[in-house]
Amino acid sequence: MGFSKFLDHFQNKKYNKALDIYSEVETLKIKEAAIYKSRILILIGNQREAISTINSVLDSLNEQTETVLFVIARIVKSSIILRMHDNKLGLEFALDTKRIIDKLDLDDKLQVNSWMGLLLRTIGVFHDFGGDLDIAMDYYNQSLEMEKLMQNVEFIGHCYNNIGEIYREKGQLDLALQYYERALEICEKDDILMMSILKSNISIIYQMQGNIEEAIKLELEVLHLTKNNMVQLDPMIKSSSLLNLVIYYVNLGKNETARNYQNELAALAKTSKSNFVIEMKLLAEGYYLKSSARMKDKTKAQLIFEDLLEDRSKIRNHEVVTSSLLSLCEILICEFKISNNNEVMLEIQNYLEDLVNISRINQSYALIASTLVIHAKLEIIMV
């Protein structure tokens, strides 16, 4: 009876109520309940307790006699590692889990099927963050087919969002917007997490299309969603929204407002252990300083972007790399206008070469366009 109530609260996204009655779950169901508990913990942003809980579950399970629960726990652990900072470890763990599933007998596979969509999406996101967009798209489409097979409408929406992300990163904005809006249509109103992600993603499309005012409106809705519904916004989503608001207001020349959101993001980074949030905080600081008319501020921004690129293997999102490269090019072009120094020109050309290579590998039309703009600026000042 306790497990049934617990699972009912989980499925209805009443996460705090589920956690409140977790102690009432009967002994025979406690391992299964602990798997769901770890899912709740990661959804509310408690990464440390989530990984501790799922590790305890895996330690308690017998892979030979509790095969299905063991595999499901590994799938959930893969999704938890995704919210942390080790892309390489996470991808290896998720792929190893898939290999284990491939060897299961038919009956066990059928019992795991309802979780396969999550695993395939998780592998896709790891590839997406690593910049392997075509491989990511393949896994997202596999996940979509699995969720359709299981008739899981909610997670079909998650797949549409992921597919929209790939189209956005490639610069195919109309297609991206179609998938985001399709996901929004089937997103449940009480799914604050997914609603926040979709609104933030759509705001980026609006910004890329030049509609900054509408983009700002959507990002503010993301921040208000959680306040109005009294739920905790995932630090990763909140940090992305705050970074976007910094960029949008800087582009509008409203630097004081941008500074306020930058400060809010800096405060969030202090309380969060997430490397992703720290990267968002550094990007926001760099963007703000880059917009200054003073060279000393631009120099500070340059150091931030260079530090971000110092060990690219530790960066969890390849867009942090491309944003830093583009920003460094813009800063160095300003320096070249003043100094006409050939070493500065060489630095710019090296960064541009990196951008061209990344855009070719990912077939990212948006990045190609941004790189061409940098080339054009460079050609103008060299005339």
Side-chain angles (χ1 to χ4, degrees):
M1 187 66 178
F3 179 71
S4 297
K5 277 186 179 180
F6 172 84
L7 190 58
D8 183 61
H9 286 319
F10 172 83
Q11 291 171 341
N12 287 296
K13 300 179 179 61
K14 297 176 180 177
Y15 299 135
N16 289 331
K17 286 187 176 181
L19 293 175
D20 287 343
I21 67 164
Y22 176 72
S23 60
E24 300 174 18
V25 173
E26 51 270 32
T27 305
L28 286 174
K29 287 287 189 178
I30 196 64
K31 292 179 183 179
E32 189 175 351
I35 293 173
Y36 283 101
K37 179 184 178 183
S38 65
R39 285 279 289 153
I40 291 171
L41 290 168
I42 199 64
L43 288 170
I44 64 175
N46 192 339
Q47 297 175 359
R48 183 177 298 176
E49 193 175 346
I51 196 69
S52 174
T53 301
I54 202 63
N55 280 338
S56 295
V57 174
L58 283 166
D59 289 342
S60 71
L61 289 168
N62 185 312
E63 183 179 355
Q64 304 305 318
T65 61
E66 300 172 290
T67 306
V68 172
L69 274 185
F70 177 79
V71 169
I72 291 172
R74 283 187 63 99
I75 292 173
V76 171
K77 182 173 179 177
S78 299
S79 70
I80 292 171
I81 297 174
L82 177 64
R83 299 297 186 95
M84 300 173 77
H85 63 273
D86 198 330
N87 281 10
K88 185 179 179 182
L89 171 66
L91 180 57
E92 289 173 356
F93 187 85
L95 289 172
D96 192 42
T97 301
K98 187 175 182 298
R99 283 189 285 269
I100 293 172
I101 294 170
D102 290 340
K103 295 177 183 177
L104 295 178
D105 61 40
L106 182 59
D107 287 343
D108 286 345
K109 279 183 179 178
L110 289 173
Q111 293 184 67
V112 172
N113 267 354
S114 61
W115 294 85
M116 274 303 295
L118 173 61
L119 179 62
L120 293 167
R121 280 196 307 284
T122 300
I123 295 172
V125 176
F126 279 126
H127 281 294
D128 190 349
F129 280 166
D132 301 318
L133 303 189
D134 291 333
I135 297 175
M137 179 69 96
D138 182 51
Y139 276 105
Y140 292 156
N141 280 317
Q142 288 182 53
S143 178
L144 178 60
E145 291 306 309
M146 181 59 71
E147 300 299 7
K148 284 181 176 179
L149 180 66
M150 303 305 298
Q151 298 182 330
N152 195 331
V153 176
E154 176 185 354
F155 294 129
I156 289 171
H158 289 204
C159 294
Y160 286 152
N161 172 67
N162 292 135
I163 292 169
E165 280 285 87
I166 299 296
Y167 282 126
R168 177 186 65 77
E169 290 174 58
K170 285 178 172 287
Q172 296 171 264
L173 303 187
D174 290 339
L175 271 173
L177 190 57
Q178 284 177 32
Y179 274 94
Y180 290 150
E181 290 176 341
R182 196 181 300 179
L184 201 57
E185 284 175 9
I186 60 177
C187 180
E188 297 175 8
K189 290 183 179 179
D190 61 348
D191 191 348
I192 305 303
L193 177 66
M194 198 62 210
M195 189 78 72
S196 300
I197 291 171
L198 287 167
K199 284 180 178 288
S200 186
N201 286 341
I202 292 171
S203 91
I204 295 172
I205 299 294
Y206 287 158
Q207 186 267 338
M208 293 174 78
Q209 293 175 332
N211 192 349
I212 295 182
E213 294 292 349
E214 199 62 32
I216 288 172
K217 180 182 174 184
L218 278 175
E219 289 295 4
L220 292 176
E221 284 180 16
V222 170
L223 298 182
H224 292 152
L225 261 177
T226 51
K227 292 176 183 176
N228 294 339
N229 290 277
M230 294 183 290
V231 296
Q232 182 180 353
L233 182 59
D234 185 306
M236 287 173 61
I237 300 170
K238 186 172 183 179
S239 65
S240 295
S241 288
L242 290 169
L243 170 63
N244 289 340
L245 286 167
V246 171
I247 294 170
Y248 299 163
Y249 280 113
V250 163
N251 289 343
L252 288 174
K254 298 181 179 180
N255 285 18
E256 192 61 39
T257 307
R259 183 67 171 174
N260 291 336
Y261 286 112
Q262 185 204 328
N263 289 337
E264 189 175 346
L265 180 45
L268 178 64
K270 281 185 179 179
T271 59
S272 174
K273 301 289 185 182
S274 167
N275 282 5
F276 180 90
V277 176
I278 294 169
E279 286 167 7
M280 297 301 100
K281 173 249 182 187
L282 290 171
L283 278 178
E285 188 177 348
Y287 274 116
Y288 180 80
L289 290 168
K290 185 185 73 170
S291 69
S292 171
R294 302 193 64 180
M295 276 310 300
K296 74 170 188 176
D297 289 334
K298 291 185 185 296
T299 301
K300 290 178 185 176
Q302 180 179 344
L303 292 173
I304 289 171
F305 292 125
E306 286 174 347
D307 285 345
L308 278 168
L309 292 174
E310 190 172 346
D311 188 352
R312 297 188 193 183
S313 64
K314 291 182 179 179
I315 296 177
R316 61 168 287 119
N317 189 337
H318 77 101
E319 289 188 284
V320 174
V321 172
T322 55
S323 296
S324 297
L325 288 170
L326 288 166
S327 295
L328 282 169
C329 286
E330 291 174 0
I331 293 167
L332 290 169
I333 284 174
C334 291
E335 183 180 346
F336 184 75
K337 285 180 181 178
I338 297 169
S339 67
N340 201 31
N341 187 307
N342 286 332
E343 287 185 12
V344 176
M345 174 59 68
L346 185 60
E347 281 187 71
I348 297 171
Q349 289 172 342
N350 287 337
Y351 288 137
L352 281 172
E353 186 176 341
D354 280 350
L355 286 164
V356 169
N357 289 335
I358 294 170
S359 61
R360 282 176 179 167
I361 291 169
N362 294 337
Q363 297 181 333
S364 173
Y365 305 118
L367 185 56
I368 290 170
S370 298
T371 305
L372 287 173
V373 169
I374 298 293
H375 269 294
K377 289 180 179 178
L378 206 54
E379 290 294 329
I380 291 170
I381 63 173
M382 290 178 68
V383 171

